Amino acid sequence: VNSLIQHNGNLYAGTDKGLLIEANNSWSFVKGTEGYFINALKNDQHNMLLVGTETGLIRLDTNDHVEYLNEHDGLPSRQISSILIDNEENIWLTSKRGGLVQLRNSNFVNISVADGLSNQYANIICQLDDGTIIVGNDNGGLDLIKNGEVKKMPLQTDLQSTSIKDIVEDDNGNL
């Protein structure tokens, strides 16, 4: 199990073999998700379930109808490892080799090295209480995105050979 979430009163589990739903003390695959390697699960503001996979993004509506989004639809990379929905209801995806993807109601916004991201291998995304977005990547770096500006976060520890996979802010604002 790679990810667990409550959605529409049910428990869902993302696995390396697909998306499972628990009902009546029994687990079964959600039709249309069998065989997908699931990395991340997130509920959106419209009661949809977003599913990050190794081959793209899946969205389930309230009736478990499945929609797919991948590189052919404009994603810069098929591997989705993390999902965040910010205060403005934008959907952010870490896309491994494609950098950071921002989905808005209008268009995709792909944030890459050309835009100031310190590494194309984005692994995790976190939003701080003040709205700042932090991105962890494969070269031990953290990038800050605030007011449309992307910049590298200075660190007091050398993490160059570390792949950052999780970011947590405590009650005191420490990361």
Side-chain angles (χ1 to χ4, degrees), residues 31-75:
K31 185 177 168 116
T33 68
E34 302 92 338
Y36 284 90
F37 191 110
I38 311 289
N39 293 318
L41 300 171
K42 187 75 171 177
N43 289 312
D44 76 4
Q45 63 277 11
H46 303 289
N47 207 25
M48 305 275 192
L49 179 61
L50 301 174
V51 182
T53 77
E54 285 293 303
T55 54
L57 184 69
I58 297 174
R59 183 171 73 172
L60 273 69
D61 66 16
T62 53
N63 298 317
D64 284 342
H65 174 261
V66 178
E67 296 176 306
Y68 304 95
L69 187 66
N70 58 36
E71 289 170 306
H72 300 292
D73 301 305
L75 286 179

Side-chain angles (χ1 to χ4, degrees), residues 74-144:
L75 286 179
S77 172
R78 63 185 185 164
Q79 294 176 307
I80 306 301
S81 57
S82 176
I83 304 169
L84 173 93
I85 299 175
D86 69 17
N87 297 340
E88 296 176 353
E89 300 181 355
N90 297 307
I91 299 169
W92 295 81
L93 309 170
T94 53
S95 66
K96 299 268 186 176
R97 292 177 181 90
L100 182 63
V101 178
Q102 181 186 28
L103 304 176
R104 294 180 167 182
N105 285 332
S106 58
N107 295 319
F108 287 96
V109 174
N110 184 38
I111 299 172
S112 67
V113 171
D115 302 299
L117 207 59
S118 62
N119 189 291
Q120 280 297 103
Y121 298 95
N123 295 322
I124 189 72
I125 186 167
C126 174
Q127 183 174 25
L128 302 180
D129 289 338
D130 70 356
T132 300
I133 302 289
I134 298 180
V135 181
N137 57 50
D138 265 0
N139 70 350
L142 294 172
D143 293 306
L144 300 173

